[in-house]
Amino acid sequence: MQLRNVSPADVDAYVRMRCDPVMMADLGGPLPREGMADKVRRDAREAAADLAWIKMIVPDPHTPDVVAGTVTIWSHDTDDGPISEMGWMILPEFQGRGLGRRAVRALLSQARDEDRWGVVHAFPATRNAASNGLCRSVGFRFVARREVEFAGRVLNSNHWTINPRTDLT
C-alpha cells in the first residue's frame, strides 16, 4: 500500500465515495455530483501546497490509478479554536482488508515524524462501527459523543483524539 496526493484526475474516486448513498449513509446521505470536480481541484491544490494532507490510498503501487479510498489530515477552526482533524473513506470492494487502518497509521506516523498537526481529532458517526473500531485499534482516545457539521449537515459523532507523538500504538 502507498499514499499519494489527490490529483485532479481523482474525480471518479471522489464521486464513488461522496455521491454514493451507501458510502455516505453515516454522513447524511450522498453529496451532489455537480461541483465534485471543483472539490477535487481545490483538494489537489491544498495537497500540492502542503496545506492539508489529502491522500489517495493505493493498494498496489504497481497500479497507481487504482485507489481504495482516501485518508486526510487538515486544520480548521471550531468554536473551541483551531484543531487538526483526520478522516478516511474506504470503497466497499476494499473494506475489511485493513487498508484503512494501515493508511491512518501511516499518516499519523508521518505526522509524528514531521512533528506536525499536534493532537489529531476524528469524528466518526456514532453508528459507524468500522471507523470507531479503527480509532480504538490505532490508539485514539474516546472523548465524548458530539454533534458535528459536515457538508451543511449536523451529524451525531463520536469524538476521538490522538497525539501522534505519544499515543500512536
Side-chain angles (χ1 to χ4, degrees):
M1 183 214 63
Q2 72 179 41
L3 302 177
R4 66 165 173 78
N5 278 351
V6 62
S7 79
D10 289 314
V11 173
D12 287 342
Y14 266 52
V15 167
R16 289 190 60 218
M17 287 181 279
R18 295 169 180 241
C19 302
D20 180 86
V22 174
M23 287 288 299
M24 295 294 292
D26 291 325
L27 296 170
L31 298 176
R33 186 181 184 108
E34 301 78 37
M36 202 53 61
D38 289 337
K39 168 69 172 149
V40 175
R41 279 192 292 275
R42 285 191 308 272
D43 284 359
R45 280 194 302 271
E46 281 192 43
D50 199 32
L51 299 174
W53 290 349
I54 306 170
K55 305 293 184 179
M56 304 306 288
I57 303 167
V58 178
D60 182 352
H62 300 296
T63 54
D65 293 337
V66 176
V67 297
T70 60
V71 61
T72 306
I73 300 178
W74 71 101
S75 291
H76 62 91
D77 290 324
T78 70
D79 292 341
D80 299 322
I83 66 167
S84 297
E85 184 172 342
M86 181 172 223
W88 50 87
M89 294 185 89
I90 306 297
L91 288 163
E93 64 269 28
F94 294 100
Q95 292 174 4
R97 299 184 191 181
L99 289 168
R101 182 173 38 255
R102 288 172 47 206
V104 166
R105 184 179 299 282
L107 210 57
L108 289 170
S109 294
Q110 182 179 345
R112 178 196 60 217
D113 295 347
E114 294 185 21
D115 196 19
R116 185 164 174 194
W117 303 108
V119 172
V120 177
H121 301 254
F123 300 95
T126 55
R127 298 181 313 176
N128 188 329
S131 284
N132 285 288
L134 188 153
C135 286
R136 272 189 297 281
S137 72
V138 172
F140 279 84
R141 298 174 194 272
F142 178 76
V143 176
R145 290 187 180 215
R146 181 173 169 183
E147 288 186 343
V148 297
E149 187 176 321
F150 171 78
R153 307 149 181 205
V154 177
L155 307 173
N156 293 314
S157 299
N158 286 327
H159 181 190
W160 297 84
T161 61
I162 190 169
N163 182 336
R165 293 177 61 205
T166 59
D167 298 337
L168 197 56
T169 59

